[in-house]
Amino acid sequence: MQTRTYSTKAGEVVLRTMREGDIDALIALNKVCFPSMAEQNVVWNRGQLTNHLRVFPQGQLVIELEGRVVGAAASLIVHMGIDPYRQHTYSGITDGGFFHNHDPQGDTLYGADVYVHPDLRGKGVGRVLYDARRELCQSLNLRRILAGGRMHGYHEVSQEMTPEEYVASVEEGKRRDLVLSFQLREGFVVRGILKNYIRDPLSHNSATLIEWQNPEFKPSEDGDVRKVRVACVQYQVRRVNSFEDFADQTEYFVETAADYRADFVVFPELFSVQLLSQESLKKLPSLEGIRRLTELEEPFFELMTRMARDYGVHIVAGTHPIARDGVIYNVSPLFFPNGNHVVQPKLHITPSERKYWGITGGNELPVIQTPKAKVGILICYDSEFPEAARHLADQGAEIIFVPYCTDTREGHLRVRYCCQARAIENQVYVAAAGVIGNLPSVAAMDIHYGRAAVYTPSDFEFARDGVQAQADSNVEMLLVTDLDINDLYRSRTSGSVTPRLDRRRDLFEFRSKVKSPELSPEESAPIDPHSEDDD
């Protein structure tokens, strides 16, 4: 939204979207506006407001008066299903106030909060925020705005009236309520009473379910279908005589995936170690071999950049070791068709990687915005740590790619079972590609066991056993499958179980220290694998 100026009884105010620098002011303003709720500790905190900016920046609005933040509105998009007026709680519909359940494919703009400094109420500031929210709803072609409204004056008559009777008296003009009367003037309609909606002494924990229907809503002819085609390469390493041999084998799979109109091609972890089978490099000690492989970073990246551009696909280029300031990292680059790329370092390093190759873990874990989906990358061992996938899911990832390299069936099964668990508990797709074949002449890379697969949540929208597609074990092949992103959001809001919504934040706190900027194709740039979070 562009910055706009409005004339109000309070003077000229500026409407704009929220910025990170507003967070402290918004926390203070929230406490001033809702002192009774501040006592219940249900006002915004830094973590929540930071996440609002990450998942839905255009839905977070602020009002400035003479350079001071005096009002704000927070919103997210949800899918209300066949019963949009169903009972729900504030914590449930906003995922504990963090908006992790924001659904870009939803049909409803949900008003999580509107607040104006008490000194400026009744002077038109709130109306500016409500107008802006309606405009946002229409610009996104959403069906409606829903919100749980405070019954500001109900506590005064709670001994003699039910919430329903109180609301009816306000609707009939017999009684005035500071909040509800304003909302009715703004064109909202009361659809019901939400019981135990939020801890609010003034409303006795109940709320009005209010709705504004978008008169310009137009149902999409194609139902806003979001399909992503993923091709996982079950790559067989074999001896090569030159970098050109390696490039030919790799390009064959990229070209084939492009022929099948794949959006993403996923190669396995450390498949480029095949380059150490060249006559001039074979039989090197493992540490020397991995250092020599880091010297091939430039031609490897140039090859992947060219193929992504030539074939118009996104390439998750397995992993390749890189050296920075004398430190070796195992990184997975994602190459975009426009020539940009992002580098995801492996975070968790196995004992054998440390022992034989001296590899160090990185500290970056971004969600990457692509035209087709928000994606993240976990490299092999990373998938066995639930908090890494949880972090990506909380930042909005829809697909997690897992390039892996395991030598035995037991190792493969560790990755396989953990990938499926990550898909179920986070309600995301997980696409894994493993290396197969033997390299007897390369130290620490002699045998391999792999079986590429794409895992889904386990519910009616998906494959019966939670496996969308699976390759045959240890057979070189290309696994191609389509993923319906909308199915993810339907399962998150109305599935048989809703693990993303049902988390017990009152019992378990999750805190991430990794740097995780959301990157788009235009913003993509190499990530520093060892940078530290400033916080």
Side-chain angles (χ1 to χ4, degrees):
M1 171 182 288
Q2 295 180 343
T3 299
R4 299 177 189 171
T5 302
Y6 294 84
S7 294
T8 69
K9 294 178 181 178
E12 284 204 343
V13 298
V14 175
L15 172 73
R16 59 173 174 81
T17 51
M18 172 187 165
R19 296 190 287 256
E20 190 170 358
D22 298 323
I23 290 178
D24 289 337
L26 290 174
I27 292 173
L29 178 62
N30 208 232
K31 292 178 179 178
V32 170
C33 292
F34 306 119
S36 63
M37 297 177 71
E39 293 176 1
Q40 301 291 325
N41 196 31
V42 288
V43 292
W44 297 127
N45 61 45
R46 173 171 290 276
Q48 291 167 329
L49 293 173
T50 299
N51 209 58
H52 299 175
L53 275 179
R54 287 174 175 165
V55 300
F56 188 37
Q58 62 266 50
Q60 319 314 316
L61 307 173
V62 300
I63 292 281
E64 282 186 352
L65 175 64
E66 298 177 351
R68 182 169 60 101
V69 174
V70 296
S75 308
L76 70 157
I77 299 174
V78 297
H79 182 73
M80 297 304 292
I82 61 175
D83 184 11
Y85 310 134
R86 66 181 184 269
Q87 287 287 312
H88 58 266
T89 66
Y90 183 82
S91 180
I93 201 72
T94 66
D95 197 7
F98 282 87
F99 296 5
H100 289 138
N101 58 316
H102 167 71
D103 179 357
Q105 303 305 308
D107 61 356
T108 299
L109 185 68
Y110 198 90
D113 208 357
V114 172
Y115 47 109
V116 174
H117 195 284
D119 294 343
L120 301 179
R121 288 172 182 163
K123 297 186 177 181
V125 177
R127 180 168 289 112
V128 173
L129 290 168
Y130 271 71
D131 285 344
R133 188 180 268 170
R134 281 190 288 263
E135 181 180 334
L136 177 63
C137 179
Q138 291 177 326
S139 69
L140 296 174
N141 191 36
L142 298 175
R143 188 180 296 274
R144 63 176 67 84
I145 300 174
L146 278 183
R150 300 185 77 200
M151 296 183 288
H152 189 273
Y154 178 61
H155 68 289
E156 298 174 354
V157 295
S158 61
Q159 298 299 317
E160 55 194 77
M161 304 179 74
T162 66
E164 289 80 3
E165 291 171 337
Y166 177 80
V167 168
S169 69
V170 176
E171 289 179 309
E172 294 167 4
K174 298 177 180 179
R175 187 179 301 275
R176 182 180 180 277
D177 182 273
L178 179 65
V179 175
L180 180 55
S181 297
F182 170 75
Q183 292 166 336
L184 294 173
R185 290 197 302 272
E186 288 298 309
F188 281 80
V189 176
V190 178
R191 298 300 188 188
I193 301 295
L194 299 171
K195 304 292 187 179
N196 297 312
Y197 180 72
I198 197 170
R199 285 179 290 169
D200 177 15
L202 298 185
S203 301
H204 281 232
N205 298 340
S206 294
T208 57
L209 178 59
I210 59 172
E211 180 187 39
W212 177 82
Q213 292 189 347
N214 177 9
E216 299 180 6
F217 173 72
K218 296 178 181 178
S220 174
E221 293 181 2
D222 60 4
D224 292 322
V225 174
R226 287 184 65 200
K227 289 291 184 70
V228 178
R229 182 163 293 180
V230 173
C232 296
V233 182
Q234 190 149 292
Y235 188 96
Q236 181 175 339
V237 291
R238 54 177 68 88
R239 181 177 176 181
V240 294
N241 294 316
S242 64
F243 186 89
E244 289 70 26
D245 283 352
F246 168 77
D248 288 344
Q249 184 181 351
T250 303
E251 188 160 6
Y252 164 77
F253 284 108
V254 175
E255 181 180 13
T256 304
D259 288 342
Y260 281 96
R261 300 188 301 280
D263 299 301
F264 293 91
V265 187
V266 188
F267 284 93
E269 180 187 25
L270 292 172
F271 80 115
S272 65
V273 177
Q274 180 182 20
L275 290 164
L276 294 179
S277 67
Q278 297 177 73
E279 188 65 34
S280 61
L281 297 176
K282 69 179 185 179
K283 299 296 184 181
L284 290 174
S286 56
L287 186 56
E288 176 62 20
I290 208 73
R291 291 193 179 278
R292 293 290 295 275
L293 195 58
T294 64
E295 297 171 4
L296 298 176
E297 175 187 341
E298 184 174 349
F300 179 84
F301 276 56
E302 287 177 352
L303 169 66
M304 297 298 167
T305 300
R306 177 186 65 77
M307 290 192 299
R309 185 184 292 116
D310 288 353
Y311 294 102
V313 297
H314 295 80
I315 301 176
V316 181
T319 71
H320 185 83
I322 64 171
R324 296 291 184 270
D325 300 324
V327 179
I328 298 177
Y329 301 93
N330 183 15
V331 304
S332 179
L334 170 58
F335 294 88
F336 294 85
N338 66 0
N340 289 345
H341 70 269
V342 173
V343 173
Q344 172 60 58
K346 190 171 185 175
L347 307 180
H348 304 86
I349 307 304
T350 65
S352 61
E353 284 178 293
R354 280 197 207 91
K355 177 179 178 181
Y356 295 112
W357 292 327
I359 289 176
T360 298
N363 298 315
E364 298 264 357
L365 189 58
V367 168
I368 306 161
Q369 176 70 66
T370 75
K372 286 290 186 175
K374 290 183 178 182
V375 306
I377 301 172
L378 296 178
I379 301 170
C380 195
Y381 197 29
D382 290 338
S383 68
E384 300 178 30
F385 295 83
E387 57 269 24
R390 174 70 77 193
H391 169 81
L392 288 174
D394 281 355
Q395 306 308 314
E398 297 159 331
I399 306 173
I400 296 176
F401 296 113
V402 180
Y404 74 95
C405 174
T406 51
D407 55 347
T408 65
R409 185 172 183 271
E410 291 82 2
H412 155 72
L413 289 177
R414 284 195 298 270
V415 173
R416 180 251 190 274
Y417 292 137
C418 289
C419 283
Q420 190 156 22
R422 304 297 85 84
I424 291 171
E425 65 200 13
N426 294 295
Q427 294 181 287
V428 297
Y429 292 113
V430 178
V435 70
I436 64 171
N438 306 316
L439 285 173
S441 62
V442 178
M445 278 290 287
D446 42 3
I447 62 172
H448 303 93
Y449 189 107
R451 192 176 190 184
V454 178
Y455 306 102
T456 75
S458 188
D459 214 332
F460 293 113
E461 289 89 348
F462 309 101
R464 185 181 66 178
D465 55 0
V467 180
Q468 174 78 11
Q470 188 167 231
D472 296 329
S473 300
N474 295 330
V475 176
E476 188 170 49
M477 63 184 296
L478 187 68
L479 183 71
V480 183
T481 190
D482 286 339
L483 306 179
D484 188 327
I485 302 300
N486 286 346
D487 279 348
L488 287 179
Y489 290 101
R490 281 189 287 269
S491 72
R492 291 176 183 181
T493 58
S494 56
S496 301
V497 294
T498 51
R500 290 174 66 96
L501 298 181
D502 297 334
R503 290 161 63 180
R504 290 292 303 275
R505 294 184 182 276
D506 57 326
L507 298 180
F508 305 101
E509 180 179 356
F510 177 73
R511 183 183 179 190
S512 172
K513 296 182 180 180
V514 297
K515 296 188 71 174
S516 55
E518 182 180 303
L519 300 176
S520 68
E522 293 75 23
E523 299 167 329
S524 303
I527 295 173
D528 179 357
H530 57 276
S531 61
E532 294 291 343
D533 196 337
D534 293 335
D535 293 335

